[in-house]
């Protein structure tokens, strides 16, 4: 069955540094991959989508890469700020013709001032 | 205006009871979903509806019955609640349902506690 793993349950970094989160998947070749942010007590909020034919996508301080050979996506936050502290979820479509987005277990990022 | 709103925010009930969670979206989206987030924060899809038609049913016990009276609403009714049903339930919507990739808009969740 499809497995989506985010390499760290928690990641602590100093303010101003670049945070790098990893998402690995097995047994499937998704057409796209998404990243979401979730704050405590709230629903996930969409951040970025990257398709299988795209190597990299950027949005402000966020950058996502997608390596379909390695079956891996990296999510970077540059110049991190305490306000970036949250849980970040990667998600991919299980396919079958309908959008069946499956989420990884998330990485809780803490940016220390 | 909240894009995806679900009620109630908290639901505490006894085992064996029947309860409902309501969801409404004002984004004009065609597709709505129910997700369950367990105590380990794993977010798992339960159901998806497109224009009031069920398109995804992820081997959820038949005690869970979604109902979509129109494409802006997707309610979740749960019969004979069990302890293992305790979780946070999220409603979500997207513009479409196809494999081209649509971002999901989530509600703020309903925390269900079964005692």
């Amino acid at each position: 069955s499809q497995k989506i793993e985010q390499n760290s349950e928690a990641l602590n970094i100093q303010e101003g540094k670049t945070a790098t989160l990893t998402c690995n998947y097995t047994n499937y070749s998704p057409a796209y991959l998404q990243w979401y942010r979730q704050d405590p007590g709230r629903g996930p909020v969409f951040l970025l989508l990257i398709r299988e034919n795209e190597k990299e996508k950027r949005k402000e301080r966020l950058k996502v890469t997608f390596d379909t050979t390695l079956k891996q996506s990296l999510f970077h936050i540059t110049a991190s700020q305490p306000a970036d502290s949250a849980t970040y979820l990667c998600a991919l479509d299980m396919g079958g013709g309908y959008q069946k987005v499956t989420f990884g277990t998330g990485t809780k990022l803490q940016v220390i001032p | 205006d909240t894009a995806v709103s679900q009620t109630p925010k908290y639901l505490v009930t006894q085992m064996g009871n029947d309860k409902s969670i309501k969801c409404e979206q004002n984004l004009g989206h065609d597709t709505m979903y129910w997700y369950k987030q367990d105590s380990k924060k794993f977010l798992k899809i339960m159901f998806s509806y497109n224009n009031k038609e069920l398109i995804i049913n992820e081997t959820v016990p038949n005690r869970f019955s979604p109902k979509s009276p129109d494409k802006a609403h997707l309610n979740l009714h749960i019969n004979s609640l069990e302890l293992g049903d305790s979780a946070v339930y999220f409603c979500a919507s997207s513009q479409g349902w196809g494999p081209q990739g649509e971002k999901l808009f989530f509600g703020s969740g309903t925390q269900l506690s079964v005692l």
Side-chain angles (χ1 to χ4, degrees), chain A residues 98, chain B residues 46-58 66 68 74:
Chain A
Y98 299 110
Chain B
M46 300 172 69
F47 301 104
S48 173
Y49 270 73
N50 183 66
N51 260 323
K52 304 191 295 176
E53 305 252 347
L54 178 68
I55 55 173
I56 294 173
N57 182 341
E58 277 295 283
S68 183
L74 180 62

Side-chain angles (χ1 to χ4, degrees), chain A residues 36 41 51 99-101, chain B residues 9 35 58 97 100 102 104:
Chain A
Y36 288 78
R51 300 191 189 283
Q99 177 161 270
K100 193 160 79 174
V101 175
Chain B
K9 175 79 174 166
Y35 276 83
E58 277 295 283
W97 53 266
Q100 70 276 12
E102 302 278 354
L104 300 177

Side-chain angles (χ1 to χ4, degrees), chain B residues 52 67-75:
Chain B
K52 304 191 295 176
K67 291 272 189 327
S68 183
D70 56 62
K71 74 173 194 176
H73 295 84
L74 180 62
N75 303 322

Side-chain angles (χ1 to χ4, degrees), chain B residues 96-114:
Chain B
W97 53 266
Q100 70 276 12
E102 302 278 354
K103 57 186 178 183
L104 300 177
F105 292 79
F106 283 84
S108 56
T110 295
Q111 185 163 336
L112 171 64
S113 299
V114 182

Side-chain angles (χ1 to χ4, degrees), chain B residues 17-29:
Chain B
N17 282 352
D18 302 339
K19 289 293 176 187
S20 291
I21 307 172
K22 294 187 175 182
C23 180
E24 175 182 3
Q25 54 95 4
N26 63 5
L27 297 166
H29 287 168

Side-chain angles (χ1 to χ4, degrees), chain A residues 31-82:
Chain A
Y32 61 86
L33 190 145
Q34 301 177 350
W35 282 88
Y36 288 78
R37 169 185 173 140
Q38 187 173 22
D39 291 284
R42 309 294 295 269
V45 174
F46 172 83
L47 295 174
L48 282 165
L49 180 152
I50 186 164
R51 300 191 189 283
E52 60 179 339
N53 60 349
E54 296 174 318
K55 295 287 184 204
E56 184 179 295
K57 205 84 172 273
R58 290 176 187 260
K59 179 183 171 183
E60 298 170 354
R61 293 184 296 110
L62 309 180
K63 184 177 91 170
V64 172
T65 62
F66 193 10
D67 189 325
T68 55
T69 303
L70 290 178
K71 294 188 183 291
Q72 181 181 80
S73 175
L74 299 179
F75 177 80
H76 307 272
I77 306 175
T78 57
S80 58
Q81 304 165 1

